[in-house]
Amino acid sequence: MNFFHEIRKHILAAIQALVADGDLPEGTDASRVTAEPPRDESHGDISTNAAMVLAKPAGKNPRELAEKLVAKLQNIGLIAEVSVAGPGFVNIRMVDEFWDQQLLTILEAGADYGKSNLGLGEKINLEYVSANPTGPIHAGHGRVAVVADVLANLLEKVGYAVTREYYINDAGGQAKKLACSSYLRYREALGEDIGEIPEGYYPGPYLKDVGQAIADRDGDKWLSLDEEEWLDPFREFAVNAMMSAIREDLKLMGITHEVFTSEMDLQRSGAVDRAVADLEEQGLLYTGVLEPPKGKVVEDWEPRPQLLFKATEFGDDVDRPLKKSDGTWTYFTGDIAYHYDKFQRGFKQMINVWGADHGGYVKRIVSAVNAITRGDGRLDVILSQMVNFFDNGVAVKMSKRAGTFVTVRDVIEKVGKDVFRFMMVSRKSDAHLDFDFKKVMEQTKDNPVFYVNYAHARSHSVMRMAKQEFPDIDPTQLSDAPLKRLRDEDEIRLLKLLAGWPRQVEIAAQAHEPHRLCYYLYEVAGQFHMLWNKGKDEAILRFILPDDRELTRARLAMIKGVQAVIASGLTIFGVEPVEEMH
RNA sequence: GCGCCCGUAGCUCAGUAGGAUAGAGCGCAAGAUUCCUAAUCUUGAGGUCACAGGUUCGAAUCCUGUCGGGCGCACCA
């Protein structure tokens, strides 16, 4: 569906023809030859760097080579014009009918437009959120979650078999704290005065419910027992409670994971031991003493022999410890086992999306994945920067202690899932994002969420109006409309824009950068709104022309195209394309 | 001290795996419009792409260094 691929095939064929003619050497490598839109639309529709890339190895002048290429491309159907420009660009312009054909393709595909099989069905594991199961999801995690979820949709769109996965960190110190905090609340539920929640415990009131629930179920049976007796059951109960709350939060965001993997289960199943044994077998473990960290004072630091993984052999800065001083595994060790587990489940490609504050951990886990998969597995980590929340320009201060931190639920209840999701992917993920509660709710063209969805709604509105004017027009049967009458320069421009959608989807998917699609959709919406406005000045450009049924049908076809592309895009975002604004 | 990310118009940001004269929105300036299909429209000014080198046909993009900002830096996750 990406017509640039089609044109590139023609270019490659032309290059082969030049090889046959002796103008290029046998075995010419055309892999760097591109077919992409020129920066300036006045240059044409497609531009190729072929002559410039091939000139040097062939010992030719780029412009001369370009001229020869032009001769080969000139008579191919639907190409209107081929010319040489600048240092040796070959610019191609398509005939207008070409865009009509693209529109027909769009109409046929509907909201599936942009779908492709680029991924060849390859399995990709996308791990995201993976927040500690110790409380509701913070709004900061919300961005990570949405960026990853949209990326998952995007990769599916281009033909990957994506598994959305959540790693439950239920084995470490935080989970233990959660269990202890819950035990405290349990005692409280049984009437004990527990006073202030001690430092280091989770003070959140949501744990009261957990304590109460255990008291209701078990009465005072845990009260007289030692910690080692109640710790595991309390942890399990609390983690389950937190996870179901987290699932609710995720659901609010429109996110559903297919697989949840528990760190505890991995340990109990022996997966961690097996991973360590594997690294040992490869000779990648040793016991040693690390240098103290520089530039940061660690009060209780002491030289201590530790079990270390040779991360430096795989590009990390220092070797990394696998065991804590109390003899339990570090988080890292469990994580290695987890990624090994994913690999063994058939995922050669893994993507993790984390908050930017975990950036320091990336090299470590990537090097471990390289080691334990013998280079056959690839882990890509995407970092997502913080979100700064504002309310009408005033920064919203967040403090966990003061209880003023913003949860995902808070935000969704205020602005809705769709606005939240759209805004969260509207910027490059490694850039900070400002989120203003007031601005994102505004119904003006300054608000991109509104602007894009309004274009979709407006397109439906036009269809409704058309139905009144021409009750006999079937909006699903427009493929025989006289598209060649769509010849205003802005109509052509819109058609070209729409035809570029599959390429945008591919680029965004390959770069793992869904935010690009926001900008593109904004452009489509803008071009559509512009045409609408143009109809105010030039009556002939109005979409519905009571005395010209066929031109109306052509215009409706174009509008269906706009609908398809915007719906296709918003669906990737997990945003519902609305048919009416309220 | 080290590692990672970032630095583009007054502001917020794009920049399509190295392409041609670096773009958009807001704001600013000028003008149009009170019409209609649904929430105005058009035009304009505005830039040493942080800085300095390098790589090559060609650099905002890649490499090196400098400056500035963010994050992180045994045994937390």
Side-chain angles (χ1 to χ4, degrees):
Chain A
M1 266 196 285
N2 180 347
F3 70 84
F4 289 94
H5 292 328
E6 300 304 315
I7 303 301
R8 184 164 184 270
K9 278 183 198 160
H10 287 304
I11 294 167
L12 295 180
I15 289 168
Q16 281 314 307
L18 291 182
V19 171
D21 291 355
D23 289 316
L24 283 170
E26 287 292 330
T28 289
D29 175 19
S31 58
R32 288 180 58 215
V33 170
T34 60
E36 53 188 17
R39 176 163 300 192
D40 189 331
E41 64 175 325
S42 69
H43 293 140
D45 300 313
I46 300 110
S47 177
T48 178
N49 63 357
M52 291 179 295
V53 173
L54 301 179
K56 200 176 184 187
K60 301 271 181 180
N61 173 303
R63 286 199 60 112
E64 276 173 31
L65 193 56
E67 292 294 352
K68 294 200 155 119
L69 210 49
V70 168
K72 296 288 182 195
L73 288 167
Q74 220 142 28
N75 295 317
I76 293 171
L78 297 182
I79 290 181
E81 189 190 342
V82 193
S83 60
V84 180
F89 286 102
V90 174
N91 292 328
I92 301 170
R93 185 180 306 281
M94 307 305 291
V95 298
D96 289 342
E97 288 70 29
F98 180 76
W99 308 111
D100 301 342
Q101 287 190 7
Q102 295 296 313
L103 179 56
L104 290 178
T105 307
I106 298 172
L107 293 182
E108 202 171 318
D112 275 343
Y113 188 54
K115 211 168 170 177
S116 68
N117 194 25
L118 203 68
L120 300 170
E122 191 186 344
K123 290 175 75 173
I124 293 189
N125 186 288
L126 202 47
E127 177 203 334
Y128 56 104
V129 190
S130 300
N132 276 328
T134 56
I137 302 187
H138 187 275
H141 286 126
R143 183 176 185 196
V144 172
V146 171
V147 165
D149 198 56
V150 173
L151 180 58
N153 293 344
L154 179 56
L155 291 172
E156 274 177 344
K157 184 98 173 176
V158 299
Y160 287 96
V162 178
T163 296
R164 297 162 175 79
E165 187 151 338
Y166 189 117
Y167 183 47
I168 307 171
N169 307 141
D170 53 1
Q174 302 303 316
K176 185 176 175 183
K177 276 184 194 170
L178 177 77
C180 295
S181 307
S182 303
Y183 188 72
L184 210 57
R185 292 298 192 182
Y186 164 73
R187 282 161 47 195
E188 183 181 44
L190 291 173
E192 195 173 320
D193 179 11
I194 58 168
E196 285 282 302
I197 302 292
E199 187 71 31
Y201 279 63
Y202 288 101
Y206 48 86
L207 288 181
K208 284 185 184 175
D209 296 339
V210 173
Q212 186 65 53
I214 299 178
D216 290 347
R217 188 188 65 178
D218 298 337
D220 61 0
K221 73 179 259 200
W222 304 105
L223 221 43
S224 55
L225 297 176
D226 291 337
E227 178 180 305
E228 60 187 56
E229 302 281 344
W230 55 256
L231 186 61
D232 277 350
F234 269 70
R235 175 166 44 207
E236 198 182 322
F237 191 97
V239 166
N240 283 340
M242 294 304 107
M243 282 311 298
S244 60
I246 285 171
R247 283 180 209 236
E248 284 299 310
D249 286 350
L250 291 170
K251 203 171 155 194
L252 284 176
M253 286 189 283
I255 294 173
T256 311
H257 289 81
E258 282 109 35
V259 177
F260 289 79
T261 301
S262 146
E263 183 182 6
M264 194 61 114
D265 287 351
L266 283 174
Q267 290 196 6
R268 286 181 178 150
S269 72
V272 177
D273 296 322
R274 283 197 297 277
V276 172
D278 181 274
L279 292 173
E280 176 75 58
E281 214 170 282
Q282 292 193 62
L284 295 174
L285 303 186
Y286 68 102
T287 301
V289 180
L290 290 174
E291 294 285 308
K294 290 179 178 166
K296 187 193 165 197
V297 186
V298 183
E299 292 114 20
D300 59 345
W301 191 88
E302 56 183 50
R304 179 186 295 134
Q306 295 173 293
L307 181 63
L308 299 173
F309 161 63
K310 292 181 181 173
T312 46
E313 289 191 10
F314 299 87
D316 201 355
D317 308 312
V318 288
D319 293 336
R320 302 294 182 175
L322 296 185
K323 258 188 190 174
K324 301 185 212 168
S325 52
D326 66 1
T328 62
W329 299 115
T330 58
Y331 176 80
F332 181 46
T333 316
D335 214 14
I336 295 173
Y338 175 42
H339 285 84
Y340 194 32
D341 178 66
K342 287 194 256 188
F343 180 70
Q344 288 176 322
R345 280 187 274 136
F347 296 105
K348 288 188 174 174
Q349 269 207 69
M350 302 168 240
I351 300 175
N352 293 356
V353 185
W354 296 339
D357 53 337
H358 288 69
Y361 187 76
V362 174
K363 280 187 182 178
R364 188 180 317 191
I365 190 65
V366 168
S367 62
V369 168
N370 279 331
I372 204 153
T373 66
R374 272 84 173 162
D376 287 338
R378 216 188 73 224
L379 171 65
D380 190 12
V381 179
I382 294 169
L383 298 179
S384 160
Q385 268 294 355
M386 300 292 114
V387 182
N388 301 313
F389 287 93
F390 295 89
D391 199 354
N392 202 16
V394 182
V396 177
K397 291 238 165 67
M398 282 201 247
S399 153
K400 271 195 175 175
R401 189 160 302 174
T404 57
F405 75 98
V406 182
T407 64
V408 160
R409 179 175 293 270
D410 293 337
V411 181
I412 304 273
E413 280 174 357
K414 213 160 179 177
V415 306
K417 177 198 73 161
D418 288 349
V419 166
F420 183 68
R421 287 186 65 113
F422 191 97
M423 290 307 297
M424 289 300 112
V425 287
S426 65
R427 291 267 180 273
K428 212 174 357 184
S429 77
D430 52 16
H432 286 271
L433 174 68
D434 290 344
F435 185 98
D436 192 307
F437 284 102
K438 178 152 185 285
K439 283 188 185 154
V440 301
M441 297 298 284
E442 273 169 10
Q443 306 230 326
T444 70
K445 72 182 286 283
D446 305 339
N447 178 358
V449 193
F450 170 79
Y451 193 64
V452 171
N453 225 337
Y454 176 40
H456 188 265
R458 178 174 261 178
S459 75
H460 276 272
S461 165
V462 172
M463 299 309 287
R464 287 190 293 270
M465 301 297 288
K467 193 83 195 160
Q468 287 180 17
E469 186 66 40
F470 294 103
D472 61 317
I473 290 183
D474 181 350
T476 64
Q477 301 294 326
L478 295 170
S479 57
D480 62 339
L483 302 182
K484 62 179 187 297
R485 295 184 64 190
L486 301 173
R487 287 297 174 266
D488 184 76
E489 58 172 345
D490 281 314
E491 289 177 324
I492 298 272
R493 193 171 286 136
L494 179 60
L495 294 183
K496 289 182 180 180
L497 202 51
L498 296 177
W501 172 243
R503 179 169 183 272
Q504 295 294 331
V505 173
E506 283 182 16
I507 288 169
Q510 280 167 340
H512 294 172
E513 292 183 347
H515 76 275
R516 293 172 184 241
L517 299 180
C518 278
Y519 290 91
Y520 173 83
L521 289 182
Y522 189 81
E523 237 183 287
V524 171
Q527 187 62 28
F528 174 63
H529 288 311
M530 183 193 188
L531 266 180
W532 191 92
N533 284 310
K534 216 171 165 182
K536 289 198 292 191
D537 295 335
E538 301 172 51
I540 187 63
L541 284 177
R542 294 165 76 100
F543 299 143
I544 298 164
L545 300 163
D547 53 0
D548 195 337
R549 182 176 185 276
E550 287 309 295
L551 183 52
T552 300
R553 288 182 73 231
R555 294 256 157 83
L556 293 183
M558 177 178 72
I559 287 163
K560 289 294 261 188
V562 171
Q563 253 173 43
V565 168
I566 293 182
S568 173
L570 291 180
T571 304
I572 291 172
F573 293 161
V575 171
E576 188 195 345
V578 298
E579 299 188 1
E580 254 174 296
M581 305 305 292
H582 296 289

